[in-house]
């Protein structure tokens, strides 16, 4: 029975592998998670969801260069990977520093109109964070050079990309919805300055860790 299934759909093993790795990749803590958390808590549920949407759209950049064969080139080029790594590190440190320096970033009050992040700005933050995330780059390098066969047709590779993108969208949307619950926001409000410091410090920490990571 299993043999017949594999014969009728030879890409099933790849599909299962990619799907499992995509879910694990999405839920593993990292810069994307911290950024979506930041925008959900500091701004609004909508900001968190649009950040999640930005992350899922950025996934297609990684899919595109992987399908184009650039993943193999990047994996062999210290210079190209270093450029991605340092740009990503700089962006995380920049956002972290802005969070630490903000005087009134969190004013969690339903009647407040001062603390607003537009949907487009939230989308851009999520998009750039993922697009320049070396962790995501490494993930795609391993997927498209180790798991996906070079002979796998384009339409199947696009399905893999869709699975990865949707996994990130669903997971981070759930994170945004959960963290923006009114009861949780009231708890966050009581410790808003400490949360600012922690989130800003974590983002800067991620950035420094990325910059310090070797390319080997």
């Amino acid at each position: 029975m299993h043999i017949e299934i594999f014969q009728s759909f030879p890409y099933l093993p790849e599909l299962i592998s990619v799907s499992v790795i995509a879910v694990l990749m999405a839920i593993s803590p990292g810069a994307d998670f911290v950024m979506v958390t930041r925008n959900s808590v500091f701004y609004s549920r909508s900001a968190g969801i649009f950040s999640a949407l930005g992350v899922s759209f950025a996934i297609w950049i990684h899919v595109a260069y992987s399908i184009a064969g650039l993943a193999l080139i990047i994996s062999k080029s210290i210079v190209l990977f270093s450029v991605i790594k340092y740009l990503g590190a700089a962006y995380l440190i920049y956002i972290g520093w802005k969070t630490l320096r903000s005087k009134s970033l969190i004013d969690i009050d339903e009647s407040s109109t001062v603390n607003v992040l537009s949907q487009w700005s939230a989308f851009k933050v999520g998009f750039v964070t993922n697009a320049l995330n070396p962790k995501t780059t490494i993930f795609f390098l391993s997927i498209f050079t180790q798991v996906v066969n070079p002979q796998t047709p384009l339409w199947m590779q696009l399905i893999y990309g869709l699975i990865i993108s949707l996994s990130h969208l669903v997971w981070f949307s759930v994170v945004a919805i959960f963290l923006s619950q009114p009861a949780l926001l009231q708890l966050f409000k009581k410790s808003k300055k400490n949360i600012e410091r922690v989130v800003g410090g974590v983002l800067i920490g991620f950035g420094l860790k990325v910059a310090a990571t070797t390319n080997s």
Side-chain angles (χ1 to χ4, degrees):
M1 181 65 178
H2 294 294
I3 296 177
E4 293 177 358
I5 294 176
F6 289 147
Q7 289 177 342
S8 60
F9 189 62
Y11 308 110
L12 184 59
E14 273 188 9
L15 179 62
I16 294 174
S17 297
V18 171
S19 298
V20 171
I21 296 173
V23 171
L24 294 176
M25 174 64 181
I27 66 177
S28 62
D32 294 337
F33 179 84
V34 176
M35 200 67 73
V36 172
T37 297
R38 170 187 182 270
N39 292 343
S40 301
V41 173
F42 294 1
Y43 295 103
S44 65
R45 175 176 297 178
S46 175
I49 291 176
F50 271 86
S51 296
L53 191 62
V55 169
S56 70
F57 267 72
I59 290 294
W60 287 99
I61 290 181
H62 304 288
V63 172
Y65 68 65
S66 297
I67 291 177
L70 295 179
L72 184 60
I73 296 176
I74 294 173
S75 68
K76 301 298 182 182
S77 172
I78 295 177
V79 174
L80 281 177
F81 186 77
S82 294
V83 168
I84 296 172
K85 181 179 74 172
Y86 289 121
L87 283 175
Y91 185 74
L92 292 176
I93 293 172
Y94 167 71
I95 296 295
W97 180 249
K98 283 185 62 178
T99 303
L100 286 175
R101 295 289 294 172
S102 178
K103 295 181 180 179
S104 59
L105 183 57
I106 310 178
D107 186 12
I108 306 173
D109 187 337
E110 293 180 359
S111 63
S112 174
T113 58
V114 177
N115 189 42
V116 176
L117 184 68
S118 70
Q119 294 176 342
W120 174 240
S121 295
F123 177 89
K124 286 192 297 184
V125 169
F127 185 91
V128 175
T129 299
N130 183 268
L132 296 179
N133 190 347
K135 175 184 173 183
T136 307
T137 301
I138 293 172
F139 164 69
F140 274 88
L141 295 181
S142 62
I143 285 290
F144 282 85
T145 59
Q146 305 296 325
V147 178
V148 178
N149 193 296
Q151 280 70 50
T152 299
L154 176 61
W155 64 268
M156 196 65 220
Q157 294 189 51
L158 290 175
I159 289 177
Y160 296 158
L162 182 61
I163 291 172
I164 299 169
S165 178
L166 288 178
S167 296
H168 282 71
L169 176 60
V170 170
W171 168 250
F172 289 120
S173 294
V174 169
V175 169
I177 292 171
F178 175 75
L179 292 177
S180 57
Q181 295 295 324
L184 285 177
L185 289 180
Q186 288 304 313
L187 292 176
F188 293 144
K189 182 179 180 180
K190 295 177 181 179
S191 304
K192 58 183 182 180
K193 287 300 179 183
N194 290 331
I195 294 174
E196 284 178 341
R197 295 189 186 100
V198 169
V199 173
V202 168
L203 286 171
I204 292 175
F206 270 121
L208 294 175
K209 180 179 178 182
V210 166
T213 301
T214 61
N215 298 329
S216 58

